[in-house]
Amino acid sequence: MAVLSVADVLAMPVLRRARPEVVAGARGLGRHVRWIHAAELADIAPLLRGGDLLLSTGIALPDTAGDLELFATSLADSEAAGLVIELGRRWDAIPPSLAAACERLGLPLVALSREVRFAAVTQAVGERIVDEQLAELREAQRVHDTFTELSIAEAGPGEILAAVQRLSGAAVVLESDQHQVLDYRSGPEDIAAVLANWESRSRSVQLDRRTTWDEKYGWLITRVGKRDRGWGRLVVQAESPPSEGMIAMAERAAAALALHRLHDRHRDSLVRRTHHELLIGLLADPTSADVLQRCELAGLPTAKRQFVGLTLRPQIGAGTMSGSFLDDLIAATVHAVHELRVPALVCEVDRDVRALLSFPSSANTGRPIDDLAAKVQRRYPVNIGAGRAVARTSEIDRTLREAQHVVQSVRPGAGDRLVHRLEDVHLRGLLTMLADDDRLRMFAVRELTALREYDDQNGSGLVDTLWALVNHPTSKSDAAASLHISRPVFYDRLAKIERLLGVDLNDPEIRVSVHVALIADQVLRDQIL
């Protein structure tokens, strides 16, 4: 329904020329005018609908004070928008009894001191109402088309929120059922003021029905999802009572968000997506005030905290690289941090599970991280790398990158540690950092190509022999035993290696060189995998 108030009608030129004066019931000037009628019947009230504005000259109205009060009461009972009386034909001034009754009832009573053509007033007001109704219908169609297109395109929450912001011109916030901000779009006001102390303010607003307007905060709130299984709320900034069109828009947006979630096979995908965006944002610029504020709203405290980055990489094996395995691993990691009561961001990035943990500034971070690793590794074969704890938000990217670097440097089959840290990776860590350098690749090729070509032609296992030598530097017997061959066969293979490479394997520098080449070759091959 178009929103046109009694005050709006009185401000129209056709009535301004008649010099309208509000005699009583000024508090009702905000009443909506549904239509306008001209009539001279004392018993007109039963023929009126709620929101109708009555024009009259007063000719047929009662004479006595009591009857005038009954007339005013009948109009109020019919929920009329108000009464406009043209003076001069019946009265030169509004009867005090009628004014007193209208004031008591809050019914706007307006006196026109100049003659006006009621037909012209009816036409002008009617056209204005129709125009506003048409505008509202066009806006409703626009909203319908917008969200229909978004639903067909399976648009994500970001696109839906952007559409709400564009249609309403106001800030819009999507929160979880735990009142944590999942995403938002700014309005004309400073978004920091809108989001300040969000969680506690949001918890204070109860949603007894699907949609409500909270006057205290100026929020239009609608539930996302079914009443018994709602997973969040959509909040649109609305300082004044929202129109029916705005309410419909918010509900259409909530329906689109619910439909997107229904189509998404991951129950917690929206939270994961939020965490993913935040981690990527922190890696790109950990000093971004907007990203840090979003972290706070997502439940990761950043003030006076220390941070540790983690990377959990599935060990290569049956089923560990499947999508379902990564889903289960993320769920297990989230469950572990919740059990340990450690705020964290957890998501998948390039087939690894990445996490950022936030601890109090005075906390010992080692034990909780080991406990987390133990909980996860009881069920899933993973290598876990941890970055060093950092005390400044500007260094968050460093601990995240260190964790990734550590897990990339873990040698195959290394299962002797719950968590691998920077101090555990040594030379392999350095070579992992240099893996993109062509000079390292050229070094490994130069040192080992002759052996690999010989192995490919003869199936001799010379590269494995060299690995056994460097892994057992103090005992050739142990080296031979690790290959399940005799010492004479082992010595014969070492002699072939020396001839092919033109080196003396008893030279300490040569041993270091081939050892580095073997590790570099392994690191480079792992990068390809």
Side-chain angles (χ1 to χ4, degrees):
M1 181 182 295
V3 178
L4 187 67
S5 68
V6 175
D8 293 332
V9 171
L10 298 180
M12 293 176 63
V14 68
L15 274 174
R16 281 208 313 270
R17 287 192 291 269
R19 295 184 179 179
E21 177 188 356
V22 179
V23 177
R27 66 180 185 275
L29 290 176
R31 291 187 178 187
H32 295 175
V33 177
R34 181 176 181 177
W35 201 251
I36 189 166
H37 297 281
E40 301 296 346
L41 298 176
D43 57 351
I44 187 65
L47 303 179
L48 299 177
R49 302 171 300 175
D52 284 349
L53 182 64
L54 180 63
L55 293 176
S56 175
T57 62
I59 291 176
L61 295 187
D63 295 317
T64 67
D67 288 340
L68 286 174
E69 290 178 8
L70 290 174
F71 173 70
T73 301
S74 69
L75 293 181
D77 290 343
S78 69
E79 298 182 347
L83 173 62
V84 179
I85 296 179
E86 181 187 271
L87 300 177
R89 295 183 182 272
R90 171 72 185 277
W91 296 308
D92 292 328
I94 298 295
S97 58
L98 180 59
C102 289
E103 181 66 30
R104 175 174 52 81
L105 297 166
L107 180 71
L109 174 60
V110 180
L112 304 180
S113 59
R114 286 186 176 181
E115 184 179 287
V116 64
R117 293 174 59 195
F118 283 3
V121 174
T122 303
Q123 179 180 355
V125 175
E127 289 175 351
R128 172 79 176 273
I129 291 173
V130 170
D131 287 344
E132 298 217 1
Q133 288 175 338
L134 288 174
E136 189 174 75
L137 287 173
R138 293 190 194 99
E139 183 62 22
Q141 185 63 42
R142 181 186 174 206
V143 169
H144 171 78
D145 292 344
T146 296
F147 289 107
T148 298
E149 290 173 7
L150 289 172
S151 297
I152 292 174
E154 296 186 6
E159 296 168 280
I160 295 170
L161 294 189
V164 175
Q165 192 277 334
R166 187 173 63 254
L167 291 169
S168 67
V172 55
V173 178
L174 176 63
E175 66 172 13
S176 70
D177 56 352
Q178 299 301 310
H179 305 282
Q180 293 178 344
V181 174
L182 299 174
D183 202 354
Y184 63 85
R185 291 296 181 272
S186 301
E189 300 180 14
D190 180 10
I191 192 63
V194 176
L195 298 176
N197 199 24
W198 178 271
E199 188 171 335
S200 62
R201 288 197 296 158
S202 179
R203 289 184 184 278
S204 70
V205 181
Q206 300 300 314
L207 196 59
D208 297 327
R209 50 188 185 277
R210 180 182 179 185
T211 304
T212 191
W213 177 65
D214 183 78
E215 184 176 4
K216 179 180 178 182
Y217 297 129
W219 290 355
L220 173 62
I221 310 171
T222 188
R223 183 185 300 107
V224 181
K226 293 183 178 180
R227 181 181 180 87
D228 57 338
R229 287 180 290 175
W231 54 265
R233 305 196 300 187
L234 183 67
V235 181
V236 183
Q237 194 74 9
E239 297 298 337
S240 57
S243 66
E244 292 184 15
M246 190 171 183
I247 293 172
M249 178 206 62
E251 292 180 347
R252 281 298 305 270
L257 288 165
L259 183 61
H260 174 269
R261 186 181 178 90
L262 183 64
H263 287 163
D264 202 310
R265 65 189 181 92
H266 300 310
R267 185 178 182 276
D268 59 344
S269 62
L270 187 54
V271 175
R272 290 188 193 178
R273 186 177 297 109
T274 299
H275 285 200
H276 182 273
E277 291 175 356
L278 292 176
L279 277 177
I280 297 301
L282 289 169
L283 283 166
D285 182 9
T287 64
S288 168
D290 179 64
V291 173
L292 293 175
Q293 183 180 47
R294 287 175 180 263
C295 288
E296 289 276 358
L297 294 168
L300 186 88
T302 60
K304 297 180 180 180
R305 307 286 290 187
Q306 54 179 325
F307 308 91
V308 176
L310 293 183
T311 297
L312 297 85
R313 174 168 292 181
Q315 296 175 5
I316 297 176
T320 60
M321 300 309 291
S322 67
S324 60
F325 180 89
L326 287 172
D327 292 342
D328 293 342
L329 180 56
I330 291 174
T333 305
V334 170
H335 183 69
V337 297
H338 283 176
E339 279 192 340
L340 295 170
R341 299 182 182 277
V342 178
L345 302 177
V346 182
C347 66
E348 175 196 342
V349 180
D350 297 331
R351 311 299 294 175
D352 288 333
V353 176
R354 307 286 295 273
L356 178 67
L357 280 59
S358 173
F359 296 92
S361 57
S362 60
N364 181 349
T365 63
R367 179 63 180 273
I369 291 174
D370 288 344
D371 289 345
L372 183 151
K375 290 177 181 294
V376 173
Q377 288 176 337
R378 287 194 199 105
R379 298 177 58 191
Y380 301 101
V382 293
N383 291 326
I384 301 177
R388 289 173 293 179
V390 297
R392 292 191 291 268
T393 55
S394 59
E395 297 177 337
I396 286 176
D397 60 328
R398 192 187 79 188
T399 186
L400 288 169
R401 295 184 197 281
E402 284 182 357
Q404 186 74 357
H405 165 64
V406 168
V407 87
Q408 288 174 341
S409 306
V410 174
R411 60 185 174 85
D416 54 336
R417 294 179 184 273
L418 285 172
V419 181
H420 299 270
R421 294 177 168 85
L422 198 62
E423 57 268 25
D424 302 325
V425 295
H426 306 295
L427 176 62
R428 186 177 295 272
L430 173 63
L431 296 179
T432 300
M433 292 176 64
L434 300 174
D436 292 332
D437 193 319
D438 287 340
R439 290 172 293 182
L440 181 65
R441 193 179 306 275
M442 291 170 60
F443 170 75
V445 169
R446 184 174 67 248
E447 293 289 300
L448 300 176
T449 294
L451 297 186
R452 291 205 176 279
E453 289 179 349
Y454 190 87
D455 281 347
D456 291 342
Q457 294 171 6
N458 302 282
S460 51
L462 295 185
V463 173
D464 291 340
T465 301
L466 195 57
W467 266 116
L469 177 67
V470 298
N471 285 334
H472 302 86
T474 61
S475 173
K476 289 185 174 64
S477 296
D478 291 343
S482 70
L483 296 173
H484 307 291
I485 59 176
S486 65
R487 287 185 64 187
V489 172
F490 184 73
Y491 278 110
D492 180 62
R493 290 186 182 181
L494 291 180
K496 287 180 182 178
I497 291 172
E498 290 181 328
R499 287 196 301 272
L500 287 169
L501 297 182
V503 298
D504 179 5
L505 292 177
N506 290 316
D507 184 333
E509 188 172 326
I510 295 299
R511 283 213 190 186
V512 170
S513 181
V514 296
H515 197 171
V516 171
L518 286 168
I519 296 175
D521 180 68
Q522 191 176 69
V523 167
L524 292 169
R525 289 174 182 273
D526 289 344
Q527 293 278 344
I528 295 174
L529 294 175

